[in-house]
Structures are given as C-alpha cells and as structure tokens.
Amino acid sequence: MSKAAKATNAEANPDEQAQSASDGGEIEGQRDISSAELKAIAEAMIFVADEPLSAKTIADVIKVDREAIEVAIVDLVAEYDARNCGLQLREIAAGWQIATRPEHHEQIRAYLKSRPSAKLSLASLETLAVIAYKQPVTVPEILEIRGVQSPSAVKTLLDKRLIVAKGRKETVGRPMMYGTSKEFLIQFGLKDLTELPSIEDFQDLAGGES
Amino acid sequence: MSKAAKATNAEANPDEQAQSASDGGEIEGQRDISSAELKAIAEAMIFVADEPLSAKTIADVIKVDREAIEVAIVDLVAEYDARNCGLQLREIAAGWQIATRPEHHEQIRAYLKSRPSAKLSLASLETLAVIAYKQPVTVPEILEIRGVQSPSAVKTLLDKRLIVAKGRKETVGRPMMYGTSKEFLIQFGLKDLTELPSIEDFQDLAGGES
Amino acid sequence: MEDTAPTDMAAPATAEAPAEAAQTISVANSQPEITPDGDSDQLKITLGDFEGPLDLLLYLIRQEQVNIYDIPIARITDVYLRYLILMQELDLTVAGDFLVMAAQLIELKSRMLLPRDPLAEEEEVLDPRAELMNRLLEHEKFKAAAQMLWSRATVEQAVFTRAEIETDTNNPEVSVGLFDLLRVFEEILARHKEEILLEIEREEVSMAEMIDRLRNMVRSAGELNLMKFFERAKSRRELVVAFLSVLELVRMSEISLVQSETFGDIMARTASPMEA
C-alpha cells in the first residue's frame, strides 16, 4: 500500500473549499486555489514524487501558472528553513525535492543500517570529471586527456547510471559520445550543469605550487 | 561546502545543551541532544523509514529515553497541524508516518497518473531490446530469442507507442513484423537506429583489462 | 570497490605487503612516498593511486620541487625511469602507458640536448616541452575537478530522501537507458546460448550410432575429411565417441585413412577391395 494511495480516501474539508473560493483568481475549468492551498499541494506533490519535481510539472498537473507555483515553493523553502527541522526542501537536478539535512546523517545511517556507499575510484572520478566538463565526449578523447588506456572507468560510470550515451560522433568509426545524466546531478547535489565551477577555476590550482 | 561543515561541527547550542541536561538527563556514551535536535532527528528518521516508525525504535537507535522521543513527536504533530501544510505526521499501525493530507488526493492522483513513464517491466524491456536489435521481427521470432512467452509485452510496447507494426512476413501464417517507432528514438534520445550502442561499443569499454 | 582495470595500478601497495594490493582505494590525500628504510640502502615505497603516467609525472614534479612551466627534462626523466624500475622490482605490472611515456621523455631529453637551429626564427622555435607541459596542466585541472566532485558526493551521501513508495511488486518496473537495452539484449543472447548448450548435453550419441553415421558419410561421398567429421561433434564426449568410431572402422578394415602430405588433411575412404 503506497503512501500516495493512503491519501485518497477522504473528502476535502468544505470550509477550506469555501475559503479558497474567496481568495485567488479563477482559472478556467479549475476551481479557485488559495495560495496556502497551492503551497500545500506543491509540498504534497513533491513529497510523493520519486524524483525531483519541477515547478512546471506541478503547474501543468494542477493547471495554474508556473509563476504561482514558483512563488509557493519559495515560500515553502523559507518555511522549512525557519522551522529548523529535520527536513529541507531543495532544488536539485532541475527540480524540487524534500530530503533530510546532512547534519543528521549519523543517526539516519544508524537506523537504516546503511554505510556510506562505496565511493567512486579515483579513475572513475577523473573520468567523470572529464565527461562532465567536455561533454559530449568520446572514449578516445577521454583517454587522451587522462593519459591512460583503460576505458573500464567509462563502463563503471555507465553501470552506475552517472553517464549516458549522447549519440555518435561523425568521425571515423562513429564512436559513441557520452555525457552526464540526471542521476549525476542528483548524486552530486547539483541543480544543473551550470552549477559546476568553471574548469578554468582549477587552473590556479594546477601548476600553482612550485 | 557549508552543508558539510554543518554536519561535522554539529555542536549543540550551549543553552540548549544545558536545557536538555536538566530535563532529559545524560545517557551513557551519548552526547547531549537538545530537544530541538531530537525533534529534527525523529522527523528525519520517520521520513526515511519505509514503514511506520515507533517511538521505541527511534529511541533505541539514538539511545535516548522513549519518553523524550514521545514528547518530541507530540511537538512535531502540533507543528505539522499548525503549519496547515501539505503533509501530516500521523500515527498508524503502532508507528509514526509522514503522509499527504486527504484533501489533496485529487491533485496527487492527477500527478501520479500524468507521470511520463520511461519505465518498463523487465519483460517489456527484454522484448523491446529484441525488437530494437533484430527488427523487423515477428512475435514467434521474439519468443524464440527470449525463450519465454511475451505477447503481453508486445502489447504494452504497442500501447506505449515504442514499437509499430512493419508489415507481414511472407512465411506460413504471414505473421506481423514489428520494429521500433519514432517515439522510441525520442524517448531514448537517438537520432536514428545507427546510434543504438552495439555490442562492440560495450566490448571496447570492457576490454580495458589486458 | 574494484572498478579499475588491473593495468591501472590503482590499488595502493607497500613494499612490505604487496599482497594487499587489492585493498580499497581512498581517493583523498593518497600520495605515494619513497622513504629510506632504516640504515639499509633499500627504499621503502608506498605507491599512491597513480592513474597513469601523467599522474606519476605530476607527483614527481612536486616531489622534486621543480617548476612545471620549466621542467628539467633530464632530471625528471631519470627519476621517472628509476620509479619504473622500482615498480618492476616490486613485481607491479607496469602498464604500457607508463612505458610509452618513458619513451617520450627520453626522446624529449635528447631533443633538449640538440643545439638549436641557428637559422630558425626565434619565434618559431617552440619549446619541445610545451606539449607535455600543456597535457600536465590539463590533466591536473581535471584531477582538481575530480576532488571537487568527490567532496560534493561526500556531502550528498549525508542527505537522504524518503523511502521508495511501494508499487506493484509483481511487476517491478525499471527505468531504462540506452545501455540497459543493450545489456538486456546481451543477457538474452547469453541465456539463449546456455539453453542450447544444456540441450546438447542431454543429447547423447551412442557408439553404434556414431559408427553408423561415419559409415554412411564415407559411403555416400566416397571420402570424408576427418577434421570436418570431428568438428561436427557438439561436445567433448561426442568428440571422443567420434574418434573411437574412426578407430573402430579402421580396425574392422571398413575404411582406410589417407594423408596426402605431412600435416595435411586426413581423409577417410572406403577401404579398397584390394585391401579388404
């Protein structure tokens, strides 16, 4: 029995409906939705979604302006922060998600009996960095930058769904090109690829010593 | 990043520590946990749990008195109700659970229905793989290759418009042949079928080990 | 976790315990060390996660405290080669990439020794080290980026989302990517192959059947290439039966074997009436 299904067996409170009719403008084919209700619906929908949910998706489903949803979400984020509670509402992979706060990870791990999942090897991380910054990029191009022949790191990243195929390059042999996936954004806590620091920012680090 | 910093030096506010020492009493081998923190941890734990969580379980995991957790949860429930938000904290099956409120069931149902599903059952996925790589192919041929009956998977794929009929094969019974659709290309981000990864692409990746 | 190829030398190892080469990889702050071991001349080596020759070179440049923009090629080449020899002495597989770099360094070193062409314009004289320097700088940028990703992932691992909401357990759904399609297809093919093999195992050809088969084949064609006959065998056991049946028919003088040249094909023929 899903949590979502649990939500089905009750009627809306008549008082609230009356209230919602009094504020907020009417949208065609849709009953009035107060801003408080909009916030509540957005929160509930983000909660049941099993991946980060965009404001646009929410707006499309309940047939209101995206701006209204965006306002509601900004309000919600402020509420979550003000409550100083165990959860946060955050933007990730071009969507919104409810998640725990990092400071409680020890207790949550203790409950889930989970250990920090195996980290990627240095080879995989470097390969991932090359793909993230050079995408779409082919295996030969990755090997050229890394200076090593082993392409097995690419396979590891595919297996972990951190990268995806992005078509073929129109050169000799038509090699497959790779780019980062949505899963990559999620696992590395990124809103989108523009949130990655520029690769040139690492220039100062490179060769900076000595 | 600041989140990490928060996680590592998560020292409780001295005032709060003093408070919790006075009302909770210190538990062996466990640093003081303020009541605000207890509430946050309980909330986070209930959130990640895949079944209703009892106060006792939470108390056991973080090694505090059950009474302290019960107080924290009562506080939390009051907070949730006061916020008048999209979620509720409720007791069910001798445990606590975060769930959506019944009054939003319509919108949540609408959302769950609207979800584009790039998701396929394993049977459908296997059938799709056979059709993608062997097209045009008939149902008997698919059965032969997969070694299992798959007529319903073919129907699912037709319903999802991932495959289309491609005429009849000129053999006994003139069975219908199937191939992948334009929708298939769109969903898998392919320009054309030549962009499908080949077994060679995979072998190149696995072949790093000399 | 072991997702690097063995040739990558990714696993840290020590001179004392090379057997522990398969231990887990720690990404951060794992630098190799060479330290004198007590009074002896022996060097104690701790290898870091060298992901290839560029990594090793960068490390050596740091260790030797030389300027990456003005690398003393002769000195670095010597240190690099010494390092490779040490790795070989430790029985660590030195991957081809390391040897290629060694060759490039030696070539660079010799080019540095050549006198400059006095006729060449000053601007046209490119520093032979420029390409290597650029590759090193580029590589180091991505190493730094990898560290950044690592710390991001670490923070992210402390964040949890709600548990899966159960769906229909009878029909577990999987979200699909392009490579899933290929992987699944390969699995089907592999499964198919296994089934064929299993069927062959069950099918047993008796000695008598095999003798009949051989006899008929030789009779109908007049002669039979034995190699072809043996290749028809679908299992090791069937091959043995085929071999025995050839011996049996030769023993009974029903067939004779002919080899027209040394190492040539062996043909089975119906024994000629003269021999019979």
Side-chain angles (χ1 to χ4, degrees), chain C residues 199-216:
Chain C
E199 262 168 38
I200 290 163
E201 288 292 325
R202 286 196 293 272
E203 183 192 348
E204 299 210 336
V205 181
S206 71
M207 184 75 179
E209 283 166 351
M210 188 60 86
I211 288 175
D212 276 341
R213 186 192 291 179
L214 176 60
R215 189 184 280 136
N216 290 336

Side-chain angles (χ1 to χ4, degrees), chain C residues 248-260:
Chain C
E248 184 63 15
L249 285 190
V250 170
R251 195 184 64 80
M252 298 193 304
S253 303
E254 281 199 45
I255 59 170
S256 58
L257 304 182
V258 185
Q259 187 176 29
S260 47

Side-chain angles (χ1 to χ4, degrees), chain A residues 91-148:
Chain A
E91 193 174 11
I92 191 167
W96 294 91
Q97 181 190 58
I98 299 173
T100 63
R101 293 181 187 274
E103 49 264 47
H104 306 125
H105 74 104
E106 244 176 77
Q107 292 91 345
I108 294 170
R109 279 216 179 95
Y111 165 65
L112 294 173
K113 296 192 179 65
S114 81
R115 274 180 289 165
S117 56
K119 296 231 170 74
L120 290 168
S121 72
L122 189 63
S124 306
L125 270 175
E126 285 188 18
T127 305
L128 187 57
V130 172
I131 294 172
Y133 282 100
K134 295 276 183 181
Q135 60 186 304
V137 64
T138 66
V139 171
E141 288 162 354
I142 298 165
L143 300 186
E144 169 76 26
I145 293 174
R146 292 196 56 229
V148 235

